[in-house]
Amino acid sequence: MEKWRLLDPGPMPAWRQMALDAVVIRARAEGRAPNTFRFMEFNPDAVLVGYHQAIDLELRRDECEALGIEYNRRITGGGAIYLDSRQLGWEICLRKDDPGLPADPETVYRRLSTVVIETLARWGIEAKFRPVNPG
């Protein structure tokens, strides 16, 4: 079994988190870094917009600036998300051709989310897996 790397850099501004994201993704894709589990904390609060989204359709820049909320674009897809300084985000970076990974993306997502669902259940919080864009 391949060893994984854990990164917990602590609170950072959105631009720095996204720069680290790009470096981790590139290093893993090029085989210069192992599979990586990374914690993400944002300070100041931030809105992250997905790669394919139009920033001006997803947020009000003037409101964000007035409230001291940073905004930045992820190099990955998905929808806009708000992360305040009290939240702990996480991401997993691994190659899609990893030999231990199922070929079906939904199975991968389901398996990776299981640990979160089970942890939340231990805290008395009900959660369940919901496929991306269900039928």
Side-chain angles (χ1 to χ4, degrees):
M1 176 183 233
E2 181 180 344
K3 288 191 176 185
W4 282 61
R5 171 175 64 168
L6 172 66
L7 293 180
D8 186 3
M12 294 191 289
W15 69 267
R16 186 169 280 174
Q17 286 286 10
M18 295 303 94
L20 181 56
D21 203 31
V23 168
V24 169
I25 290 170
R26 177 172 286 142
R28 182 62 197 120
E30 294 172 354
R32 295 183 291 115
N35 292 336
T36 302
F37 185 93
R38 180 166 85 93
F39 288 112
M40 300 166 61
E41 294 178 85
F42 291 82
N43 192 5
D45 301 349
V47 175
L48 300 180
V49 177
Y51 181 79
H52 298 288
Q53 291 185 296
I55 289 178
D56 290 327
L57 295 177
E58 300 301 326
L59 58 92
R60 295 185 186 121
R61 292 184 200 217
D62 56 340
E63 299 257 348
C64 287
E65 290 166 6
L67 295 169
I69 299 170
E70 292 187 347
Y71 51 90
N72 208 301
R73 180 177 302 283
R74 294 191 309 279
I75 62 171
T76 57
I81 55 174
Y82 172 75
L83 296 137
D84 68 31
S85 59
R86 297 170 295 175
Q87 292 174 298
L88 177 64
W90 57 275
E91 70 179 12
I92 295 173
C93 183
L94 59 138
R95 292 179 56 99
K96 68 180 179 180
D97 62 356
D98 187 289
L101 215 58
D104 173 40
E106 186 173 317
T107 301
V108 174
Y109 300 146
R110 184 179 301 278
R111 286 187 184 174
L112 292 175
S113 66
T114 297
V115 70
V116 175
I117 292 167
E118 290 175 359
T119 300
L120 291 171
R122 287 186 190 128
W123 293 340
I125 301 168
E126 184 180 336
K128 63 181 180 178
F129 175 76
R130 186 180 70 194
V132 176
N133 300 325

